[in-house]
């Protein structure tokens, strides 16, 4: 295992060393110590390496990840795993706002809570949150799945396209064009698989499903009050 | 003797026929007008400025003999690989989706022939565009449609779009008729939906966040690519200062005359400020920070001629970008299409319903039959010709001002034709040494 201590090594050197792995993988396992909330840790990785960050990360940790498995043993700042394409990002603590924003693929696991706009403009990734999510989560979500084992804040799923949302707890309010939908067998199966992958021991039957009513897909003046 | 007179019809200046027609249209449909193109009403523009050719107090250069340089280097502040362009006229970001794949390819071909860059748009990078573009700027947009790190690395520069001149503060709407299978696939959307483009980035909420975002993009691309920040002109003095503070290599400033594939008519005509008055504010911000020419300034919004190019550069821009003019060069609104355009309720020179996707020129469409009408090779040749003309014209004017490089033009080479233009551009009113607001 290769260890990089950020108390003495700049973030630039960390990312540079990780990017070099895309040419020829020489180290599969990386340990990052003393992150101390630094920004842009382990961004732009595109090889199947494993990175363990021993502490809290700042903004955009694991941004645009491809293939890599990145574990944050602490809390994550704004935009963790933003625009992730594939791979796995696991936040052992809680995440700030815009977690998994515009992520196209891969899996983001947040053991604790996530702030506002979790999964905003989600484009195909899966996000599983052990705790609660803040307001406007999945705003304009296009594809992918969001699982919330706790509660959801205001305006959940506002202006959704095709992202599917599963919430176990309460939903403070639904956003425009977001409705509760029937939990059919295929959804239970999908949710079971997501919970299992995330390592959460929750009963899928206790969740409710939310999705787009598809009334705002085309602009109609009769819907103006919804905007 | 018949003493009756033909009635003299007097049109209201307030409720002119266009206004009456729009009220009637609104009353019938209940929805605002959406269209493409840029502003149509007259606002202060480069035509309100004049260049001062040389006589005795200045020494001109020989038009067809002496060299006048045109090259520009963009991204010299932080990027390991700045972009070196042969000419200071670039192609503005326009999306595949708004434009056909053939049009995007033609833009790449034309720009490459002329030695300049083209830019992606909302919707991601197409292989045709990358393949044909010698220098390709990849837009990082609020919607992040089609955004992926592989394309980021394939780009020569990254342009973070915070606003567009035609609609600063506004998002976009690509109507369902243009969201074909390919467009929808690139944007992860269902086919045929009215696609909403976000007006703000999803993962930052202020300039301090922007600084971290710029750093993230630099980290991902190993500090190789220049980072542009594009703003719609509204508060350029403050926006430029904040963008520079956040770490931008290049500022792209788009005036209200800038085009758009589609937005509300009222937005196009009433939000934002003309590029004429935006440039001096941006330059002032850069100069106060000691960053003029260190952080390059690209301006856009209604650039049409070499005179516009020369005047923009004299005001302090390092380069200009063209959008609408490039589409016209490819063949949009061409007179040969007049009969077809009239069937659409328009005419050559007037067509602006780009949002409908029925452009007979094959440019602002996703209809495969219409798109086939545009030959990317011929379109590229036409665009390259137009770019050459812009540069030749600008060189001619610069030489007349005694300048051996377009970048040597400066505000002292300009006067204004009106008090308003003098005040906005911060150059003297013609025939005087008076700059309104700055005294004698």
């Amino acid at each position: 295992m290769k260890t990089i201590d950020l108390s003495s090594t700049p973030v630039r050197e960390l990312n540079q060393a990780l990017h070099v792995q895309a040419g020829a993988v020489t180290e599969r396992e990386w340990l990052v110590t003393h992150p101390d909330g630094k920004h842009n840790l382990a961004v732009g990785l595109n090889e199947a390496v494993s990175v363990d960050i021993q502490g809290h990360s700042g903004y955009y940790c694991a941004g645009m990840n491809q293939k890599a498995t990145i574990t944050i043993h602490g809390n994550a700042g704004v935009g963790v795993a933003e625009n992730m394409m594939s791979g796995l990002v696991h936040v052992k603590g809680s995440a700030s706002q815009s977690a998994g924003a515009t992520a196209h693929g891969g899996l983001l696991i947040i053991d604790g809570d996530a702030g506002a706009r979790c999964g905003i403009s989600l484009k195909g990734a899966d996000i599983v949150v052990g705790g609660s999510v803040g307001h406007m989560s999945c705003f304009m979500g296009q594809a992918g799945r969001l699982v919330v084992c706790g509660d959801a804040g205001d305006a959940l799923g506002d202006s959704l396209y095709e992202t599917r949302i599963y919430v176990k707890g309460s939903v403070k309010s639904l956003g425009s064009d977001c409705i509760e939908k029937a939990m059919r067998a295929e959804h239970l199966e999908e949710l079971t698989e997501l919970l299992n992958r995330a390592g959460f021991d929750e009963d899928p039957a206790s969740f409710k499903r939310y999705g787009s009513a598809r009334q705002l897909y085309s602009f109609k003046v009769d819907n103006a009050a919804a905007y | 003797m018949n003493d009756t007179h033909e009635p003299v019809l007097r049109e209201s200046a307030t409720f002119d026929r266009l206004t009456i027609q729009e009220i009637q249209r609104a009353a019938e449909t209940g929805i605002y007008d959406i269209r493409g193109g840029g502003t149509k009403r007259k606002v202060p523009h480069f035509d309100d400025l004049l260049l001062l050719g040389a006589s005795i107090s200045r020494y001109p250069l020989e038009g067809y003999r002496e060299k006048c340089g045109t090259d520009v280097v963009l991204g010299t502040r932080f990027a390991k690989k700045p972009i070196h362009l042969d000419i200071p006229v670039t192609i503005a970001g326009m999306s595949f989706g708004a434009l056909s794949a053939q049009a995007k390819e033609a833009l790449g071909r034309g720009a490459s022939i002329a030695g300049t860059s083209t830019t992606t748009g909302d919707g991601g990078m197409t292989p045709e565009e990358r393949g044909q573009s010698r220098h390709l700027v990849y837009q990082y947009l609020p919607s992040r449609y089609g955004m992926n790190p592989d394309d980021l690395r394939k780009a020569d520069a990254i342009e973070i779009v915070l606003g567009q001149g035609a609609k600063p503060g506004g998002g976009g709407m690509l109507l369902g008729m243009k969201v074909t299978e390919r467009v929808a696939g690139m944007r992860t959307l269902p086919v045929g939906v009215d696609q909403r483009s976000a007006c703000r980035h999803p993962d930052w909420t202020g300039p301090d966040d922007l600084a971290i975002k710029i750093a993230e993009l630099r980290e991902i691309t190993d500090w190789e690519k220049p980072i542009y920040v594009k703003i719609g002109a509204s508060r350029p003095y403050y926006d430029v200062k904040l963008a520079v503070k956040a770490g931008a290599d290049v500022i792209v400033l788009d005036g209200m005359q800038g085009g758009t594939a589609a937005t509300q008519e009222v937005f196009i005509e009433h939000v934002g400020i003309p590029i004429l008055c935006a440039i001096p504010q941006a330059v002032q911000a850069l100069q106060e920070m000691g960053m003029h020419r260190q952080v390059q300034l690209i301006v856009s919004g209604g650039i049409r001629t070499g005179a516009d190019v020369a005047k923009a550069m004299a005001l302090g821009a390092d380069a200009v970008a063209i959008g609408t003019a490039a589409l016209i060069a490819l063949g949009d609104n061409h007179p040969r299409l007049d009969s077809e355009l009239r069937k659409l309720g328009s005419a050559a020179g007037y067509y602006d319903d780009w949002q409908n996707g029925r452009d007979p020129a094959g440019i602002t469409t996703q209809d495969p039959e219409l798109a086939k009408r545009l030959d990317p090779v011929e379109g590229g040749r036409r665009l390259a010709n137009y770019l050459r003309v812009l540069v030749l014209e600008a060189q001619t004017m610069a030489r007349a001002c005694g300048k051996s490089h377009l970048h040597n033009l400066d505000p002292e080479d300009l006067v204004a034709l009106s008090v308003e233009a003098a005040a906005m551009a911060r150059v003297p009113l013609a025939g005087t040494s008076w700059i309104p607001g700055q005294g004698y």
Side-chain angles (χ1 to χ4, degrees), chain B residues 12-60:
Chain B
S12 167
T14 307
F15 289 91
D16 59 20
R17 279 169 290 179
L18 194 65
T19 304
I20 292 171
Q21 185 183 321
E22 172 52 22
I23 292 172
Q24 291 166 339
R25 193 206 59 76
E28 285 164 19
T29 64
I31 180 70
Y32 42 60
D33 188 26
I34 289 179
R35 67 169 175 85
T39 183
K40 292 195 170 187
R41 67 178 171 136
K42 184 168 173 52
V43 296
H45 197 34
F46 294 117
D47 287 346
D48 299 305
L49 301 181
L50 297 173
L51 284 151
L52 297 174
S55 290
I56 297 176
S57 53
R58 291 290 186 279
Y59 188 69

Side-chain angles (χ1 to χ4, degrees), chain B residues 138-332:
Chain B
Y138 189 36
Q139 284 195 331
Y140 186 74
L141 290 129
S143 68
R144 313 267 173 89
Y145 290 132
M147 178 68 227
N148 81 61
D150 292 335
D151 287 342
L152 207 61
R153 294 186 189 99
K154 287 179 196 163
D156 300 295
I158 299 161
E159 180 173 306
I160 302 174
V161 180
L162 299 180
Q164 189 182 342
K167 47 186 175 185
M173 175 77 89
L174 188 66
L175 294 183
M177 52 279 265
K178 292 174 85 170
V179 184
T180 60
E181 198 164 331
R182 184 178 178 192
V183 172
M186 286 179 68
R187 301 183 187 212
T188 328
L189 288 167
V191 175
V193 304
D194 288 347
Q195 167 248 284
R196 297 156 280 190
S197 287
C199 69
R200 59 177 190 258
H201 284 262
D203 54 2
W204 81 71
T205 53
D208 292 338
D209 292 6
L210 174 60
I212 303 168
K213 174 56 68 175
I214 288 175
E216 182 204 9
L217 295 172
R218 287 196 203 286
E219 283 296 316
I220 289 171
T221 54
D222 290 326
W223 290 69
E224 290 183 347
K225 327 277 184 192
I227 306 285
Y228 300 9
V229 172
K230 179 176 180 176
I231 55 178
S234 54
R235 300 176 182 85
Y237 175 78
Y238 299 104
D239 290 340
V240 166
K241 282 206 163 181
L242 289 170
V244 171
K245 184 171 177 288
D249 288 306
V250 175
I251 304 290
V252 182
L253 180 64
D254 194 20
M256 74 172 286
Q257 300 99 323
T260 180
T263 198
Q264 301 94 329
E265 153 94 8
V266 71
F267 219 131
I268 294 171
E269 301 287 7
H270 297 282
V271 182
I273 63 173
I275 193 63
L276 180 72
C277 56
I279 298 173
Q281 292 186 57
V283 171
Q284 181 190 346
L286 290 167
Q287 287 173 336
E288 285 177 1
M289 301 180 87
M291 285 292 179
H292 191 216
R293 309 296 185 199
Q294 311 302 313
V295 171
Q296 288 79 38
L297 177 66
I298 301 175
V299 304
S300 53
I303 300 288
R304 307 150 301 175
T305 67
D308 293 346
V309 175
K311 292 170 185 175
M313 296 186 72
L315 286 175
D318 294 276
V320 304
I322 59 170
T324 304
L327 301 187
I328 295 168
L330 293 187
D332 214 66

Side-chain angles (χ1 to χ4, degrees), chain A residues 12 15 60 82 142 219 221, chain B residues 30 187 194 203 216 219 222:
Chain A
R12 179 78 283 263
N15 286 323
Y60 308 129
E82 68 89 12
Q142 296 172 219
F219 186 87
V221 70
Chain B
R187 301 183 187 212
D194 288 347
D203 54 2
E216 182 204 9
E219 283 296 316
D222 290 326

